[in-house]
Amino acid sequence: MADDRENYHPNLIRMWRVYRTTKEMCRDRGYQMLDEDTQISLSEFAARYGREDGEPDRSRLHFSCQPSEEMMRKYTPPPSKTEPDPKPDIGNIWVEFNSDENVGLKQLRDYMQHLINGSFYSGIMICMKPMTGMALRLLRGAAGIQEGPKGGVEVFVEQDLLVNITKHELVPKHVLLSREEKDQLLKRYRLKETQLPRIQVTDPVAKYLGLRRGQVVKIIRKSETAGRYASYRWAI
């Protein structure tokens, strides 16, 4: 039976949509996620995370998740003479829903420190509004900051997660290649990665999947003649 949305505060309904999309995003990247987390009903969401005044309590929405074995494989470099047993470039992630109207340097630094204290590999911060310019500049240089997490920090605005863009009929399926699969692709077609068509890491789908520079994604499209066909993009 469908939820009667007239009984819930608009902000709670909005946050329910953001929360479900965020869970789907983590699942689609390869993190372990239960189906019940991505399919939580509005009534269940309200019971768990709603306040007495009907507004959502963002402080109770935070969660962490672990990468699946498949994700670990995709993020593990091929063995080499210098590194016969390479470690995966991925780990546990912490997702936080910030409740401040304005997110600046203090909030970002506090968040980074929480990731370090919790031994999280990376983090996703979801804000009500865009970060301040100073915070964004710190974020762009976070990979070189000793206090930052190894895997970096991603920031989304709630508005961008109201719907799952990958579910749109015009958005083809994107599949991240492992490093081994990438090497095999380049060898098969005798290409350098720079010769592949490109996709910006700021592209909405690339950002949704958390693509990193240098990774290659397989894009599967439907075709009236061939059924479906695949193309490849190099993330820059």
Side-chain angles (χ1 to χ4, degrees):
M1 183 171 139
D3 293 302
D4 186 357
R5 300 188 183 184
E6 294 181 357
N7 296 330
Y8 299 101
H9 196 289
N11 288 341
L12 184 76
I13 298 173
R14 174 188 172 90
M15 207 63 226
W16 167 62
R17 290 173 174 165
V18 172
Y19 181 80
R20 291 200 355 165
T21 301
T22 304
K23 289 278 188 173
E24 291 170 349
M25 180 173 70
C26 290
R27 178 203 61 197
D28 293 345
R29 290 185 180 196
Y31 291 99
Q32 297 179 28
M33 191 68 59
L34 297 174
D35 288 342
E36 62 191 55
D37 289 333
T38 61
Q39 299 170 8
I40 185 171
S41 67
L42 176 56
S43 57
E44 180 64 22
F45 180 84
R48 290 187 192 178
Y49 308 115
R51 300 190 320 210
E52 290 186 1
D53 61 1
E55 292 274 357
D57 186 350
R58 288 174 175 79
S59 67
R60 287 153 54 192
L61 297 178
H62 313 329
F63 65 89
S64 64
C65 45
Q66 300 176 331
S68 64
E69 291 185 7
E70 174 66 13
M71 189 181 193
M72 297 274 278
R73 182 185 68 80
K74 286 192 173 185
Y75 281 84
T76 300
S80 63
K81 291 182 179 179
T82 56
E83 191 66 44
D85 186 24
K87 305 298 181 186
D89 294 329
I90 201 70
N92 293 356
I93 191 169
W94 176 257
V95 181
E96 184 165 307
F97 296 79
N98 192 280
S99 58
D100 294 336
E101 283 285 339
N102 297 299
V103 177
L105 284 173
K106 180 183 182 305
Q107 290 90 342
L108 184 56
R109 288 189 182 278
D110 288 346
Y111 180 64
M112 287 182 174
Q113 192 58 53
H114 173 77
L115 296 177
I116 295 298
N117 293 343
S119 299
F120 291 102
Y121 185 88
S122 59
I124 294 176
M125 178 185 278
I126 300 168
C127 306
M128 298 172 65
K129 297 179 181 179
M131 278 186 168
T132 63
M134 289 287 287
L136 287 173
R137 283 192 287 274
L138 171 64
L139 189 64
R140 293 190 187 103
I145 298 176
Q146 292 183 352
E147 67 199 52
K150 185 176 180 180
V153 173
E154 299 171 66
V155 175
F156 287 84
V157 179
E158 290 179 5
Q159 178 70 29
D160 297 334
L161 295 171
L162 280 172
V163 296
N164 185 338
I165 58 172
T166 64
K167 291 183 176 181
H168 195 285
E169 61 179 5
L170 296 181
V171 177
K173 184 176 179 61
H174 289 59
V175 180
L176 174 65
L177 298 187
S178 67
R179 297 195 188 185
E180 184 178 359
E181 291 168 335
K182 172 186 170 181
D183 292 343
Q184 290 174 351
L185 173 72
L186 297 177
K187 185 177 180 180
R188 184 190 315 145
Y189 295 106
R190 298 179 181 179
L191 295 171
K192 296 179 180 179
E193 60 182 14
T194 53
Q195 294 176 292
L196 291 172
R198 304 180 179 189
I199 183 173
Q200 299 279 347
V201 292
T202 53
D203 176 272
V205 176
K207 189 174 180 182
Y208 176 90
L209 294 174
L211 294 187
R212 301 174 184 174
R213 287 180 174 82
Q215 290 183 322
V216 172
V217 65
K218 179 180 181 179
I219 302 176
I220 304 170
R221 290 183 170 88
K222 295 180 180 179
S223 168
E224 293 183 1
T225 55
R228 65 177 189 169
Y229 70 97
S231 60
Y232 300 88
R233 296 289 185 273
W234 178 51
I236 61 170

